[in-house]
């Protein structure tokens, strides 16, 4: 795929758009964009999850349609492949009555060399209301938001963030356990390259859960040390780094396996996938170390037989399909909140007038 960014080089989100404390902490200001979980306060997250409850009710109706976003135009712009996120955003927008247009890099003028900047300016000229973006460069959604009046929703940027995945993960856990505060969550796998890991650690910690991660040293950020607990200066204060997977999953309420992101990894991170599976894979034996009613999660797509065994992936503790299902309701809540600011969002429905 042609590199769609010609106006910025790869950079971190922090390089591109440092946040002020007021941007992070002021829930009274309606959000225009969703970039990462650190955009949201715990109260805003709770509101979004409550809203998703109402949206879920709409998705169970015989006629799954409401005019809540009638007249709005939403563009999904995916510069990386996706099944779950792209389809669920499209479905979410359509159920809410919006016009949804899907763009991929290969089927757009990006393939002819058009820059990200000019792509966004072109779409902006067509008066769009929301741009849902997946991009291989961390920080691309921040860049885009500087060049459009539309709401920008991050659907996964590089190794940085995947906030709607985190919201649906929180929603799925909350539906099973009630209050997330005090629950123990183990996240196992490719922490270094996983935007889901970063956003989920932040999200579950923000909601009061105790999070422990475990992975090979080669898939851990440089400054992190297995066997330690991170301090606040890392942005993940209180995060435990277990020495091995058995220690990580011991007595937890949720086990989340992460996909090995071979497309982002450099050579030499893993000896081979069989050894990885033996040492770090989630299987029946390891699930038995978690609480009896522990949930098994995976953001998908799964590499069955690598980070997760087929037996547990499709076993009674697995909520992987629920995660996918909940993605639609959660993304409806996000689109509605950003595109119809000020309208009431309540459990049991939306303002459909
Ligand atoms: N979890 C997730 O982002 O899956 P897709 O890549 O299929 O969207």
């Amino acid at each position: 795929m042609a590199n769609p960014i010609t106006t910025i080089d790869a950079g971190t989100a922090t390089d591109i758009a440092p946040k002020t404390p007021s941007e992070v902490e002021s829930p009274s200001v309606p959000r225009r964009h969703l970039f990462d979980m650190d955009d949201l306060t715990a109260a805003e997250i709770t509101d979004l999850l409550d809203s998703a409850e109402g949206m879920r009710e709409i998705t169970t109706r015989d006629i799954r349609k409401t005019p809540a976003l009638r007249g709005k135009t939403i563009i999904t712009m995916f510069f990386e492949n996706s099944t779950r996120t792209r389809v669920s955003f499209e479905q979410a927008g359509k159920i809410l009555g919006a016009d949804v247009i899907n763009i991929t890099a290969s089927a757009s003028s990006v393939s002819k060399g058009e820059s990200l900047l000019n792509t966004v300016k072109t779409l902006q000229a067509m008066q769009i209301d929301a741009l849902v973006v997946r991009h291989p460069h961390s920080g691309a959604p921040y860049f885009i938001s500087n060049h459009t009046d539309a709401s920008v929703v991050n659907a996964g940027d590089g190794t940085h963030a995947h906030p709607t995945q985190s919201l649906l993960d929180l929603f799925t856990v909350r539906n099973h356990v009630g209050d997330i505060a005090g629950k123990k969550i183990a996240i196992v796998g490719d922490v270094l390259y996983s935007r889901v890991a970063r956003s989920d650690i932040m999200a579950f910690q923000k909601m009061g859960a105790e999070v422990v991660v475990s992975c090979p040293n080669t898939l851990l950020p440089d400054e992190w040390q297995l066997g330690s607990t991170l301090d606040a200066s890392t942005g993940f204060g209180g995060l435990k780094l277990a020495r091995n997977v058995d220690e990580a999953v011991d007595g937890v309420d949720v086990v989340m396996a992460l996909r090995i992101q071979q497309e982002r990894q450099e050579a030499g991170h893993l000896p081979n996938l069989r050894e990885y599976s033996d040492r770090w894979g989630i299987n029946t034996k390891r699930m038995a170390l978690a609480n009896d009613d522990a949930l098994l999660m995976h953001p998908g797509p799964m590499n069955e037989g690598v980070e997760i065994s087929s037996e547990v992936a499709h076993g009674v503790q697995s909520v992987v399909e629920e995660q996918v299902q909940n993605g639609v309701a959660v993304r409806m809540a996000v689109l509605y909140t950003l595109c119809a600011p000020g309208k009431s969002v309540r459990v049991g429905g939306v303002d459909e007038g």
Side-chain angles (χ1 to χ4, degrees):
M1 186 182 74
N3 180 351
I5 292 185
T6 58
T7 50
I8 57 169
D9 289 319
T12 65
T14 316
D15 293 334
I16 293 165
K19 290 187 190 64
T20 63
S22 64
E23 282 176 316
V24 176
E25 296 302 336
S26 175
S28 57
V29 180
R31 303 281 175 207
R32 272 194 50 225
H33 310 297
L34 178 59
F35 297 125
D36 193 4
M37 293 308 290
D38 59 7
D39 292 331
L40 302 172
T41 64
E44 285 176 296
I45 292 170
T46 302
D47 281 350
L48 276 168
L49 301 184
D50 290 346
S51 167
E53 290 290 350
M55 298 302 180
R56 188 166 55 168
E57 186 275 322
I58 294 171
T59 68
T60 62
R61 294 179 187 172
D62 286 344
I63 298 174
R64 296 186 298 158
K65 202 81 172 171
T66 157
L69 292 185
R70 188 169 50 195
K72 303 280 185 186
T73 301
I74 297 168
I75 294 195
T76 72
M77 192 164 70
F78 277 62
F79 294 103
E80 270 186 0
N81 292 339
S82 166
T83 300
R84 281 147 280 268
T85 314
R86 199 201 62 71
V87 174
S88 60
F89 265 115
E90 180 176 353
Q91 201 176 12
K94 285 180 172 171
I95 292 172
L96 289 170
D99 296 313
V100 183
I101 299 164
N102 301 308
I103 297 178
T104 59
S106 61
S108 71
S109 290
V110 169
S111 65
K112 301 175 198 163
E114 187 162 48
S115 70
L116 181 61
L117 176 61
N118 285 337
T119 302
V120 172
K121 284 184 168 179
T122 301
L123 298 174
Q124 170 63 30
M126 297 184 210
Q127 300 184 328
I128 56 175
D129 297 288
L131 205 43
V132 177
V133 182
R134 171 168 290 190
H135 202 282
H137 286 252
S138 297
Y142 297 81
F143 172 80
I144 290 167
S145 71
N146 291 330
H147 301 284
T148 178
D149 296 332
S151 289
V152 176
V153 183
N154 183 1
D157 62 329
T159 58
H160 170 238
H162 196 347
T164 58
Q165 178 71 42
S166 293
L167 288 167
L168 75 87
D169 288 342
L170 290 173
F171 187 68
T172 303
V173 173
R174 192 178 84 159
N175 288 343
H176 281 270
V177 306
D179 192 359
I180 291 170
K183 297 293 181 294
K184 293 184 180 168
I185 319 287
I187 299 178
V188 179
D190 187 348
V191 174
L192 187 61
Y193 291 99
S194 172
R195 54 195 173 209
V196 175
R198 198 183 156 283
S199 288
D200 268 5
I201 294 166
M202 200 178 278
F204 279 103
Q205 284 194 320
K206 196 166 266 194
M207 300 312 286
E210 190 182 302
V211 185
V212 55
V213 303
S214 195
C215 62
N217 256 316
T218 49
L219 291 179
L220 206 60
D222 279 348
E223 61 278 17
W224 294 13
Q225 190 87 43
L226 292 181
S228 69
T229 299
L230 298 186
D231 64 34
S233 68
T234 61
F236 299 104
L239 176 66
K240 294 186 176 146
L241 309 175
R243 284 185 184 79
N244 57 57
V245 66
D246 290 358
E247 186 184 309
V249 300
D250 188 28
V252 298
D253 302 289
V254 175
V255 176
M256 183 179 298
L258 297 173
R259 182 172 72 84
I260 289 292
Q261 310 231 350
Q262 294 190 73
E263 74 276 23
R264 295 187 215 284
Q265 289 183 10
E266 293 155 18
H269 279 86
L270 299 173
N272 61 63
L273 294 183
R274 179 183 293 249
E275 187 176 329
Y276 179 85
S277 176
D278 287 347
R279 292 192 57 192
W280 303 96
I282 301 300
N283 51 30
T284 307
K285 202 172 95 211
R286 290 190 168 127
M287 281 306 292
L289 300 173
N291 285 346
D292 289 345
D293 54 357
L295 306 175
L296 173 67
M297 304 179 77
H298 191 299
M302 297 187 282
N303 295 307
E304 287 185 33
V306 181
E307 71 264 2
I308 191 166
S309 73
S310 297
E311 200 179 2
V312 294
H314 304 286
V316 289
Q317 288 171 281
S318 173
V319 292
V320 173
E321 285 179 24
E322 273 179 54
Q323 289 174 267
V324 175
Q325 196 172 18
N326 289 334
V328 177
V330 163
R331 288 169 178 131
M332 286 171 71
V334 168
L335 291 174
Y336 185 73
T337 301
L338 297 179
C339 295
K343 286 210 173 184
S344 63
V345 178
R346 60 183 186 280
V347 176
V350 296
D351 177 357
E352 299 183 28

